[in-house]
Amino acid sequence: MKRLEGKTALITGAARGIGLEIAAAFAAEGAAVAVADLSAQESAAAAAGIADRTGARAIGLGLDVTKEADCEKAVAETEKAFGKVDILVNNAGITKDGLVLRMKEADFDAVISVNLKGAFLMSKAASRLMLKARAGRIINISSVVGQSGQAGQANYSASKAGLIGLTKSLAREFAPRQVLVNAVAPGFIRTRMTEGLKEEARAAISGLIPLGRMGEPGEVAKAALFLAGDDSAYITGQVLAVNGGLYM
Ligand SMILES: NC(=O)c1ccc[n+]([C@@H]2O[C@H](COP(=O)([O-])OP(=O)(O)OC[C@H]3O[C@@H](n4cnc5c(N)ncnc54)[C@H](O)[C@@H]3O)[C@@H](O)[C@H]2O)c1
């Protein structure tokens, strides 16, 4: 029996990178998946690819997680297509790095808005269905720098630390209805987000990681899969680090 047979999942920022790997991993385990990202076209293409590879049902949705109406529409469209929303993964995220003295207010606001407010809006929209169903999973993709801090990423690390607070508060609020809320905190993972790093920076980072290498998106997807399935039925309000030992 596949681990997510009969389940439905909505994953934000899933047209590429870690989100795409999570959607594909869930589909491979039998879930029907809604791939939601800024471009409806790219989401549809990603969903078609997943359906082809796994045989699972997959739809693509265009949404901007900073807009409440978009979040509500994405949840409504997923419910219309699949009848329910069992699992929400808040994965959409951006960076706008810079040292604080040079960081523009707009760059601080934009990162908080996508990474933190977006997760709040999506959780609010999806939890209506989950609380009624007395079941559900919300998985927030935080980051190692939300735990450790990072020079040049005050906005990003604040947003990711905020996500951990959001995770714990939602976990407490929703526990009476059996809606479980956890976070995954990836370390340095090979995606477009880290592609811009120079070779020396990459080597320096790998030198700091006890396991000696950057992680792969599929390794983050496996942690999300664990938190989405029955094997984690007694786990809520936790942060699962997938970072090669970078932060303990
Ligand atoms: N790559 C890493 O090393 C790493 C480490 C820790 C955490 N993360 C987190 O993992 C998540 C995925 O990162 P990734 O590396 O796959 O990055 P990525 O840039 O490849 O993917 C992010 C996706 O989010 C989408 N997105 C951006 N703004 C959006 C919005 N307003 N509404 C909807 N979608 C939006 C983008 O279009 C993109 O498809 C992010 O939250 C990121 O912060 C990544």
Side-chain angles (χ1 to χ4, degrees), residues 12-20 22 36-39 42 62-67 70 90-95 110 113-115 118 140-145 156 159-160 163 184-195 197 214-215 217 220 242:
T12 68
R16 66 169 196 243
I18 292 170
L20 177 59
I22 291 173
D37 209 303
L38 281 173
S39 153
E42 285 174 22
L63 98 161
D64 178 345
V65 295
T66 67
K67 303 205 167 105
D70 282 19
N90 288 311
N91 166 80
I94 59 168
T95 53
S113 188
V114 174
N115 298 7
N140 295 320
I141 307 302
S142 178
S143 167
V144 64
V145 305
Y156 183 78
S159 75
K160 294 298 185 178
L163 262 184
V184 174
F188 285 89
I189 310 298
R190 291 202 316 161
T191 67
R192 202 183 296 183
M193 197 173 263
T194 50
E195 202 168 69
L197 290 171
M214 290 175 70
V220 180
V242 183

Side-chain angles (χ1 to χ4, degrees), residues 119-139:
F120 158 70
L121 291 175
M122 283 302 302
S123 300
K124 187 176 169 189
S127 63
R128 283 204 187 96
L129 301 180
M130 294 177 180
L131 295 172
K132 215 187 290 168
R134 293 181 175 273
R137 301 291 172 92
I138 298 175
I139 300 161

Side-chain angles (χ1 to χ4, degrees), residues 11-238:
I11 302 112
T12 68
R16 66 169 196 243
I18 292 170
L20 177 59
E21 286 291 328
I22 291 173
F26 285 13
E29 286 293 337
V33 295
V35 171
D37 209 303
L38 281 173
S39 153
Q41 230 171 350
E42 285 174 22
S43 299
I50 288 172
D52 269 358
R53 287 202 303 278
T54 63
R57 288 183 297 162
I59 57 167
L61 303 172
L63 98 161
D64 178 345
V65 295
T66 67
K67 303 205 167 105
E68 187 161 33
D70 282 19
C71 296
E72 285 172 355
K73 192 159 162 245
V75 169
E77 284 178 4
T78 306
E79 190 192 14
K80 194 167 151 216
F82 304 140
K84 56 185 184 153
V85 180
D86 298 303
I87 304 155
L88 166 68
V89 182
N90 288 311
N91 166 80
I94 59 168
T95 53
K96 284 189 186 293
D97 297 351
L99 297 172
V100 163
L101 286 180
R102 284 192 223 125
M103 187 178 287
K104 297 203 172 68
E105 185 181 353
D107 290 342
F108 187 87
D109 287 348
V111 169
I112 298 289
S113 188
V114 174
N115 298 7
L116 182 55
K117 190 178 87 171
F120 158 70
L121 291 175
M122 283 302 302
S123 300
K124 187 176 169 189
S127 63
R128 283 204 187 96
L129 301 180
M130 294 177 180
L131 295 172
K132 215 187 290 168
R134 293 181 175 273
R137 301 291 172 92
I138 298 175
I139 300 161
N140 295 320
I141 307 302
S142 178
S143 167
V144 64
V145 305
Q147 301 173 300
S148 66
Q150 177 84 327
Q153 290 197 307
N155 49 1
Y156 183 78
S157 58
S159 75
K160 294 298 185 178
L163 262 184
I164 293 174
L166 180 71
T167 299
K168 293 180 180 181
S169 296
L170 294 179
R172 288 184 186 279
E173 214 168 300
F174 297 165
R177 299 282 185 102
Q178 304 302 314
V179 175
L180 278 48
V181 188
N182 291 290
V184 174
F188 285 89
I189 310 298
R190 291 202 316 161
T191 67
R192 202 183 296 183
M193 197 173 263
T194 50
E195 202 168 69
L197 290 171
K198 297 208 175 69
E199 200 40 53
E200 310 91 80
R202 216 179 281 269
I205 289 165
S206 294
L208 296 173
I209 300 170
L211 289 182
R213 63 172 176 87
M214 290 175 70
E216 299 297 331
E219 292 174 313
V220 180
K222 284 190 180 127
L225 184 59
F226 168 68
L227 292 173
D230 288 343
D231 289 343
S232 58
Y234 198 53
I235 299 176
T236 196
Q238 303 305 308

